[in-house]
Amino acid sequence: MIDLAALDPTALLPFILIGFAAQLVDGALGMAFGVICNTLLVAVMGVPPAAASARIHVVEVFTTGVSGISHLLHRNIEWGLFLKLLIPGLIGGVSGAYLLSSLHSDLVKPFVLAYLVAVGVWLLVRGLLYPPKIRKPKVIAPLGLIGGFLDAAGGGGWGPVVTSNLLVQGAEPRKVVGTVNSVEFFLTLAVSATFIWHLGLADIAGATLGLLIGGVLAAPLGAVMAKRFSPKLMLVLVGAVLTATSAFGLYKVLV
């Protein structure tokens, strides 16, 4: 059991702030919770990478659930797109989880990050120079499959891969963010179920509890922001976040 009385609120505060900031960005732009949390936990807080990854996956089950409900209430979900992403995403996620032990994901990670940097730059250019034209995306199921697989096998990738590519195809930004966030709950639940079972509830303490509190508090605000941002601003913000996080990840991999 978790001894809540023994937890130091001041020790939790930095993790609450990290969870809040990361989920605010993720809820509004459809990506980056895992990347931001992992970077801050490992590089700033000194948390071991394996422990950081475990805590983030546990927290995402709860934050994506609250975020999905918030997007539902604000009508940010396109149900046709939701259904087309859900099944391929789950298949990709479960496949990635099964292959994680034998797949050396580090070999493909630099190529994926380089691709995401290019997509981020393109979204920035498009948002700044070209008025967004809303169109129905045509390539959906393969994105769900690849995004789910990379998320499970590589420790992240659902939001950056799926959100960015749907925006490149011209889908409505707030609908993309709301739908991708909502599907992510089911993906995270499927991928993390065995992991959480082995961890036990006692692991939801310390840094994990702080991330959970901050993330859950920020989730409703992210849905409101996604609804209020203009399509042009959304493209610019997503492009900036995707470029910065992917470029940093690529730098860490290559150096």
Side-chain angles (χ1 to χ4, degrees):
M1 295 296 293
I2 302 170
D3 185 5
L4 295 177
L7 296 177
D8 182 1
T10 59
L12 286 181
L13 184 58
F15 299 105
I16 293 174
L17 295 176
I18 289 173
F20 186 90
Q23 182 56 40
L24 198 62
V25 174
D26 193 282
L29 303 182
M31 64 178 68
F33 180 85
V35 173
I36 292 174
C37 280
N38 191 66
T39 300
L40 292 176
L41 286 177
V42 175
V44 179
M45 304 299 297
V47 176
S53 178
R55 290 165 177 169
I56 290 168
H57 275 85
V58 171
V59 171
E60 281 188 319
V61 173
F62 298 92
T63 57
T64 54
V66 176
S67 180
I69 293 172
S70 300
H71 281 293
L72 174 64
L73 294 176
H74 288 279
R75 299 181 180 179
N76 292 340
I77 300 175
E78 184 178 325
W79 291 108
L81 181 61
F82 177 95
L83 294 174
K84 290 178 182 178
L85 284 173
L86 179 61
I87 302 302
L90 291 176
I91 293 173
V94 172
S95 300
Y98 273 113
L99 293 175
L100 179 58
S101 58
S102 59
L103 177 71
H104 296 288
S105 59
D106 288 344
L107 296 177
V108 299
K109 195 172 184 179
F111 298 99
V112 174
L113 289 170
Y115 168 73
L116 291 176
V117 170
V119 172
V121 171
W122 166 240
L123 288 174
L124 264 175
V125 171
R126 186 177 170 206
L128 291 171
L129 301 181
Y130 303 100
K133 295 181 180 178
I134 305 300
R135 300 185 297 267
K136 280 193 172 294
K138 296 181 179 179
V139 181
I140 300 174
L143 285 180
L145 190 66
I146 295 170
F149 183 86
L150 290 176
D151 195 79
W158 173 257
V161 170
V162 180
T163 299
S164 63
N165 279 277
L166 288 174
L167 291 178
V168 166
Q169 293 184 63
E172 186 179 355
R174 77 178 182 92
K175 294 285 188 179
V176 167
V177 171
T179 305
V180 170
N181 264 275
S182 301
V183 174
E184 189 176 12
F185 166 71
F186 297 95
L187 173 68
T188 306
L189 191 61
V191 171
S192 303
T194 304
F195 180 60
I196 296 170
W197 176 264
H198 286 294
L199 277 177
L201 291 177
D203 191 73
I204 306 179
T208 308
L209 182 60
L211 292 174
L212 178 59
I213 293 171
V216 169
L217 288 175
L221 299 178
V224 174
M225 292 168 64
K227 187 176 182 180
R228 294 182 181 277
F229 286 163
S230 69
K232 179 174 182 176
L233 180 58
M234 287 279 283
L235 286 182
V236 172
L237 291 175
V238 170
V241 170
L242 183 61
T243 303
T245 54
S246 300
F248 179 77
L250 185 60
Y251 169 78
K252 296 290 285 185
V253 168
L254 297 178
V255 172

